[in-house]
């Protein structure tokens, strides 16, 4: 099951025009530009999800050394920067999450899942893999539709002849 989207996702995510109350037609950014921006958001998210996940694991090691193994201050003084680094890295990760989420117009549940992935050890790696695969499939489908491909096909799904 997909974490978001459907057969007409390119129409939902990449709508190129809308009608304002009163009937005025507003044209948004063209489809290739929106796809390119979304692909950039996917790349930024992917990098920050991996960095955040890695630093979360480093933070877990630091906490294990400090709390469970009672490492001496002579060791811990070299590790005091880790919680601060993870905190700031997580803030940057949140920016990339909101950027991708808003560009893809995913559900609020998807946003919550992506936000939590940055604070649950190993979850960021699992969620990143799924988000990357689904976003890429959706963007590929939107690109095919924009190029005049089969607009009824689900993105990332090949239909039998």
């Amino acid at each position: 099951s997909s974490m978001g989207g459907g057969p007409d996702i390119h129409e939902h995510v990449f709508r190129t025009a809308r009608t304002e109350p009163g009937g005025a037609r507003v044209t948004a950014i063209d489809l290739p530009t929106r796809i390119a921006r979304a692909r950039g958001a996917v790349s930024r998210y992917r990098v920050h999800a991996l960095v955040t996940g890695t630093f979360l694991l480093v933070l877990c090691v630091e906490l294990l050394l400090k709390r469970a193994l009672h490492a001496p201050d002579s060791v811990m003084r070299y590790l005091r920067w880790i919680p601060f680094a993870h905190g700031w890295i997580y803030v940057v990760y949140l920016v990339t999450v909101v950027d991708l989420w808003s560009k893809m117009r995913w559900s609020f549940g998807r946003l919550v899942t992506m936000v939590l992935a940055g604070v649950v050890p190993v979850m960021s790696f699992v969620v990143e893999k799924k988000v990357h695969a689904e976003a890429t499939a959706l963007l590929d489908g939107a690109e095919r539709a924009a190029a005049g491909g089969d607009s009824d096909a689900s993105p990332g799904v090949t239909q039998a002849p």
Side-chain angles (χ1 to χ4, degrees), residues 33 42 98 117 128:
T33 301
V42 170
V98 171
E128 179 279 324

Side-chain angles (χ1 to χ4, degrees), residues 6-143:
D8 62 348
I9 191 66
H10 58 271
E11 294 171 11
H12 170 72
V13 174
F14 300 107
R15 217 178 354 248
T16 57
R18 70 182 192 282
T19 304
E20 290 288 315
R25 190 102 170 128
V26 177
T27 303
I29 300 169
D30 65 292
L31 186 57
T33 301
R34 292 190 69 187
I35 292 170
R37 287 182 179 178
R39 285 194 191 281
V42 170
S43 295
R44 287 185 298 277
Y45 163 77
R46 190 171 199 196
V47 167
H48 286 93
L50 297 175
V51 171
T52 300
T54 301
F55 263 86
L56 183 56
L57 292 177
V58 170
L59 178 63
C60 289
V61 170
E62 185 263 351
L63 287 171
L64 180 68
L65 287 170
K66 183 177 182 178
R67 305 279 186 213
L69 301 177
H70 306 290
D73 284 341
S74 61
V75 171
M76 292 310 299
R77 72 175 179 207
Y78 295 108
L79 305 176
R80 286 194 178 109
W81 61 272
I82 292 171
F84 300 103
H86 172 70
W88 284 107
I89 289 168
Y90 182 68
V91 169
V92 174
Y93 168 76
L94 290 177
V95 171
T96 65
V97 164
V98 171
D99 181 41
L100 178 60
W101 173 76
S102 66
K103 282 181 173 55
M104 297 301 293
R105 297 185 185 180
W106 278 328
S107 70
F108 184 73
R110 169 69 67 94
L111 174 65
V112 170
T113 301
M114 292 168 71
V115 165
L116 289 176
V119 294
V120 177
V122 183
M123 187 176 169
S124 69
F125 303 113
V126 174
V127 171
E128 179 279 324
K129 184 175 181 177
K130 186 168 181 83
V131 165
H132 179 258
E134 289 185 12
T136 300
L138 292 171
L139 294 168
D140 289 349
E143 231 165 33

Side-chain angles (χ1 to χ4, degrees), residues 150-154 156-161:
D150 184 1
S151 63
D152 292 331
S154 293
V157 177
T158 305
Q159 292 187 342

